PDB file of all heavy atoms in Angstrom:
ATOM      1  N   GLY A  58     212.202  33.536 224.103  1.00  0.00           N
ATOM      2  CA  GLY A  58     213.528  33.006 224.386  1.00  0.00           C
ATOM      3  C   GLY A  58     213.909  31.907 223.317  1.00  0.00           C
ATOM      4  O   GLY A  58     213.207  31.900 222.245  1.00  0.00           O
ATOM      5  N   SER A  62     213.192  26.218 225.210  1.00  0.00           N
ATOM      6  CA  SER A  62     213.194  26.734 226.649  1.00  0.00           C
ATOM      7  C   SER A  62     212.065  27.538 227.031  1.00  0.00           C
ATOM      8  O   SER A  62     211.924  27.914 228.064  1.00  0.00           O
ATOM      9  CB  SER A  62     214.536  27.494 226.884  1.00  0.00           C
ATOM     10  OG  SER A  62     214.456  28.687 226.177  1.00  0.00           O
ATOM     11  N   THR A  91     219.580  39.093 226.676  1.00  0.00           N
ATOM     12  CA  THR A  91     219.024  39.064 228.031  1.00  0.00           C
ATOM     13  C   THR A  91     219.706  40.209 228.998  1.00  0.00           C
ATOM     14  O   THR A  91     219.208  40.462 230.020  1.00  0.00           O
ATOM     15  CB  THR A  91     219.272  37.781 228.866  1.00  0.00           C
ATOM     16  OG1 THR A  91     220.695  37.483 228.844  1.00  0.00           O
ATOM     17  CG2 THR A  91     218.560  36.743 228.130  1.00  0.00           C
ATOM     18  N   TYR A  95     215.483  48.536 228.223  1.00  0.00           N
ATOM     19  CA  TYR A  95     214.311  49.137 228.595  1.00  0.00           C
ATOM     20  C   TYR A  95     213.327  49.279 227.378  1.00  0.00           C
ATOM     21  O   TYR A  95     213.789  49.105 226.194  1.00  0.00           O
ATOM     22  CB  TYR A  95     214.617  50.577 229.151  1.00  0.00           C
ATOM     23  CG  TYR A  95     215.128  51.650 228.311  1.00  0.00           C
ATOM     24  CD1 TYR A  95     214.374  52.474 227.478  1.00  0.00           C
ATOM     25  CD2 TYR A  95     216.547  51.700 228.103  1.00  0.00           C
ATOM     26  CE1 TYR A  95     214.786  53.386 226.610  1.00  0.00           C
ATOM     27  CE2 TYR A  95     217.065  52.661 227.364  1.00  0.00           C
ATOM     28  CZ  TYR A  95     216.166  53.509 226.501  1.00  0.00           C
ATOM     29  OH  TYR A  95     216.732  54.436 225.673  1.00  0.00           O
ATOM     30  N   PHE A 109     210.237  33.192 238.662  1.00  0.00           N
ATOM     31  CA  PHE A 109     211.075  33.695 237.545  1.00  0.00           C
ATOM     32  C   PHE A 109     212.038  34.817 238.139  1.00  0.00           C
ATOM     33  O   PHE A 109     211.593  35.836 238.645  1.00  0.00           O
ATOM     34  CB  PHE A 109     210.163  34.372 236.446  1.00  0.00           C
ATOM     35  CG  PHE A 109     210.957  34.681 235.255  1.00  0.00           C
ATOM     36  CD1 PHE A 109     211.184  33.668 234.256  1.00  0.00           C
ATOM     37  CD2 PHE A 109     211.358  35.942 234.960  1.00  0.00           C
ATOM     38  CE1 PHE A 109     211.906  33.984 233.125  1.00  0.00           C
ATOM     39  CE2 PHE A 109     212.046  36.299 233.827  1.00  0.00           C
ATOM     40  CZ  PHE A 109     212.324  35.429 232.850  1.00  0.00           C
ATOM     41  N   GLN A 119     224.655  51.134 236.332  1.00  0.00           N
ATOM     42  CA  GLN A 119     224.693  50.038 237.364  1.00  0.00           C
ATOM     43  C   GLN A 119     225.019  48.781 236.599  1.00  0.00           C
ATOM     44  O   GLN A 119     224.506  48.496 235.388  1.00  0.00           O
ATOM     45  CB  GLN A 119     223.256  49.896 237.899  1.00  0.00           C
ATOM     46  CG  GLN A 119     223.233  48.988 239.219  1.00  0.00           C
ATOM     47  CD  GLN A 119     221.748  49.075 239.729  1.00  0.00           C
ATOM     48  OE1 GLN A 119     220.902  49.710 239.195  1.00  0.00           O
ATOM     49  NE2 GLN A 119     221.558  48.340 240.815  1.00  0.00           N
ATOM     50  N   THR A 154     212.834  27.026 238.193  1.00  0.00           N
ATOM     51  CA  THR A 154     212.251  25.665 238.591  1.00  0.00           C
ATOM     52  C   THR A 154     211.333  25.860 239.725  1.00  0.00           C
ATOM     53  O   THR A 154     211.766  26.473 240.775  1.00  0.00           O
ATOM     54  CB  THR A 154     213.462  24.776 239.168  1.00  0.00           C
ATOM     55  OG1 THR A 154     214.475  24.703 238.120  1.00  0.00           O
ATOM     56  CG2 THR A 154     213.019  23.277 239.475  1.00  0.00           C
ATOM     57  N   ASP A 181     220.518  56.141 222.219  1.00  0.00           N
ATOM     58  CA  ASP A 181     219.435  56.909 222.718  1.00  0.00           C
ATOM     59  C   ASP A 181     219.316  56.854 224.254  1.00  0.00           C
ATOM     60  O   ASP A 181     218.714  57.900 224.749  1.00  0.00           O
ATOM     61  CB  ASP A 181     218.086  56.182 222.181  1.00  0.00           C
ATOM     62  CG  ASP A 181     217.992  56.466 220.770  1.00  0.00           C
ATOM     63  OD1 ASP A 181     218.769  57.352 220.144  1.00  0.00           O
ATOM     64  OD2 ASP A 181     216.990  55.999 220.102  1.00  0.00           O
ATOM     65  N   GLU A 205     190.994  43.496 251.034  1.00  0.00           N
ATOM     66  CA  GLU A 205     190.167  44.669 251.537  1.00  0.00           C
ATOM     67  C   GLU A 205     188.878  44.452 250.937  1.00  0.00           C
ATOM     68  O   GLU A 205     188.425  43.768 250.057  1.00  0.00           O
ATOM     69  CB  GLU A 205     190.710  45.977 250.975  1.00  0.00           C
ATOM     70  CG  GLU A 205     192.171  46.222 251.458  1.00  0.00           C
ATOM     71  CD  GLU A 205     192.736  47.547 250.795  1.00  0.00           C
ATOM     72  OE1 GLU A 205     191.814  48.500 250.429  1.00  0.00           O
ATOM     73  OE2 GLU A 205     193.918  47.758 250.673  1.00  0.00           O
ATOM     74  N   LYS A 214     185.990  40.724 247.924  1.00  0.00           N
ATOM     75  CA  LYS A 214     187.317  41.280 248.445  1.00  0.00           C
ATOM     76  C   LYS A 214     188.230  41.603 247.168  1.00  0.00           C
ATOM     77  O   LYS A 214     188.014  41.164 246.104  1.00  0.00           O
ATOM     78  CB  LYS A 214     187.991  40.076 249.292  1.00  0.00           C
ATOM     79  CG  LYS A 214     187.179  39.543 250.565  1.00  0.00           C
ATOM     80  CD  LYS A 214     187.126  40.742 251.560  1.00  0.00           C
ATOM     81  CE  LYS A 214     186.445  40.293 252.792  1.00  0.00           C
ATOM     82  NZ  LYS A 214     186.309  41.389 253.784  1.00  0.00           N
ATOM     83  N   TRP A 217     194.361  45.851 245.556  1.00  0.00           N
ATOM     84  CA  TRP A 217     194.729  46.750 244.511  1.00  0.00           C
ATOM     85  C   TRP A 217     196.272  46.582 244.276  1.00  0.00           C
ATOM     86  O   TRP A 217     197.122  46.541 244.840  1.00  0.00           O
ATOM     87  CB  TRP A 217     194.622  48.192 245.029  1.00  0.00           C
ATOM     88  CG  TRP A 217     193.176  48.722 245.058  1.00  0.00           C
ATOM     89  CD1 TRP A 217     192.234  48.529 246.220  1.00  0.00           C
ATOM     90  CD2 TRP A 217     192.518  49.358 244.027  1.00  0.00           C
ATOM     91  NE1 TRP A 217     191.110  48.897 245.865  1.00  0.00           N
ATOM     92  CE2 TRP A 217     191.082  49.617 244.622  1.00  0.00           C
ATOM     93  CE3 TRP A 217     192.818  49.846 242.861  1.00  0.00           C
ATOM     94  CZ2 TRP A 217     190.200  50.373 243.922  1.00  0.00           C
ATOM     95  CZ3 TRP A 217     191.890  50.561 242.115  1.00  0.00           C
ATOM     96  CH2 TRP A 217     190.549  50.733 242.633  1.00  0.00           C
ATOM     97  N   ASN A 239     175.034  39.557 243.752  1.00  0.00           N
ATOM     98  CA  ASN A 239     175.077  41.007 243.701  1.00  0.00           C
ATOM     99  C   ASN A 239     173.680  41.599 244.339  1.00  0.00           C
ATOM    100  O   ASN A 239     172.750  41.518 243.749  1.00  0.00           O
ATOM    101  CB  ASN A 239     175.321  41.559 242.401  1.00  0.00           C
ATOM    102  CG  ASN A 239     175.292  43.060 242.344  1.00  0.00           C
ATOM    103  OD1 ASN A 239     175.775  43.786 243.262  1.00  0.00           O
ATOM    104  ND2 ASN A 239     174.890  43.662 241.192  1.00  0.00           N
ATOM    105  N   MET A 262     182.540  31.455 237.295  1.00  0.00           N
ATOM    106  CA  MET A 262     181.760  32.732 237.091  1.00  0.00           C
ATOM    107  C   MET A 262     180.690  32.566 236.057  1.00  0.00           C
ATOM    108  O   MET A 262     181.041  32.190 235.003  1.00  0.00           O
ATOM    109  CB  MET A 262     182.771  33.764 236.859  1.00  0.00           C
ATOM    110  CG  MET A 262     181.999  35.233 236.695  1.00  0.00           C
ATOM    111  SD  MET A 262     183.152  36.586 236.126  1.00  0.00           S
ATOM    112  CE  MET A 262     184.193  36.842 237.507  1.00  0.00           C
ATOM    113  N   LYS A 263     179.556  32.935 236.403  1.00  0.00           N
ATOM    114  CA  LYS A 263     178.359  32.862 235.428  1.00  0.00           C
ATOM    115  C   LYS A 263     178.223  34.346 234.952  1.00  0.00           C
ATOM    116  O   LYS A 263     178.021  35.264 235.788  1.00  0.00           O
ATOM    117  CB  LYS A 263     177.069  32.461 236.195  1.00  0.00           C
ATOM    118  CG  LYS A 263     175.894  32.385 235.205  1.00  0.00           C
ATOM    119  CD  LYS A 263     174.687  31.879 236.030  1.00  0.00           C
ATOM    120  CE  LYS A 263     173.534  31.741 235.048  1.00  0.00           C
ATOM    121  NZ  LYS A 263     172.266  31.253 235.690  1.00  0.00           N
ATOM    122  N   LEU A 297     176.621  34.789 241.145  1.00  0.00           N
ATOM    123  CA  LEU A 297     177.678  35.004 240.124  1.00  0.00           C
ATOM    124  C   LEU A 297     178.520  33.667 240.118  1.00  0.00           C
ATOM    125  O   LEU A 297     179.066  33.314 239.072  1.00  0.00           O
ATOM    126  CB  LEU A 297     178.585  36.148 240.644  1.00  0.00           C
ATOM    127  CG  LEU A 297     179.766  36.534 239.704  1.00  0.00           C
ATOM    128  CD1 LEU A 297     179.430  37.196 238.453  1.00  0.00           C
ATOM    129  CD2 LEU A 297     180.840  37.356 240.557  1.00  0.00           C
ATOM    130  N   GLY A 316     197.962  56.380 229.711  1.00  0.00           N
ATOM    131  CA  GLY A 316     198.316  57.818 229.524  1.00  0.00           C
ATOM    132  C   GLY A 316     197.466  58.602 228.564  1.00  0.00           C
ATOM    133  O   GLY A 316     197.755  59.679 228.414  1.00  0.00           O
ATOM    134  N   ARG A 322     183.482  54.501 233.233  1.00  0.00           N
ATOM    135  CA  ARG A 322     182.501  53.453 233.063  1.00  0.00           C
ATOM    136  C   ARG A 322     181.051  54.028 233.306  1.00  0.00           C
ATOM    137  O   ARG A 322     180.751  54.338 234.314  1.00  0.00           O
ATOM    138  CB  ARG A 322     182.758  52.368 234.261  1.00  0.00           C
ATOM    139  CG  ARG A 322     181.960  51.130 234.295  1.00  0.00           C
ATOM    140  CD  ARG A 322     182.706  49.935 234.607  1.00  0.00           C
ATOM    141  NE  ARG A 322     183.505  49.478 233.657  1.00  0.00           N
ATOM    142  CZ  ARG A 322     183.261  48.701 232.540  1.00  0.00           C
ATOM    143  NH1 ARG A 322     181.973  48.426 232.427  1.00  0.00           N
ATOM    144  NH2 ARG A 322     184.041  48.335 231.672  1.00  0.00           N
ATOM    145  N   LYS A 325     174.455  52.226 231.060  1.00  0.00           N
ATOM    146  CA  LYS A 325     173.651  52.099 229.789  1.00  0.00           C
ATOM    147  C   LYS A 325     172.402  52.907 229.796  1.00  0.00           C
ATOM    148  O   LYS A 325     171.899  53.478 228.836  1.00  0.00           O
ATOM    149  CB  LYS A 325     173.293  50.574 229.504  1.00  0.00           C
ATOM    150  CG  LYS A 325     172.477  50.397 228.264  1.00  0.00           C
ATOM    151  CD  LYS A 325     171.936  48.950 228.182  1.00  0.00           C
ATOM    152  CE  LYS A 325     170.831  48.984 227.055  1.00  0.00           C
ATOM    153  NZ  LYS A 325     170.050  47.689 227.162  1.00  0.00           N
TER     154      LYS A 325
END
Side-chain angles (χ1 to χ4, degrees):
S62 71
T91 58
Y95 66 89
F109 188 83
Q119 194 175 3
T154 306
D181 288 352
E205 302 178 19
K214 298 295 183 181
W217 284 87
N239 177 31
M262 177 187 290
K263 183 179 180 181
L297 178 75
R322 184 141 287 276
K325 177 197 170 188

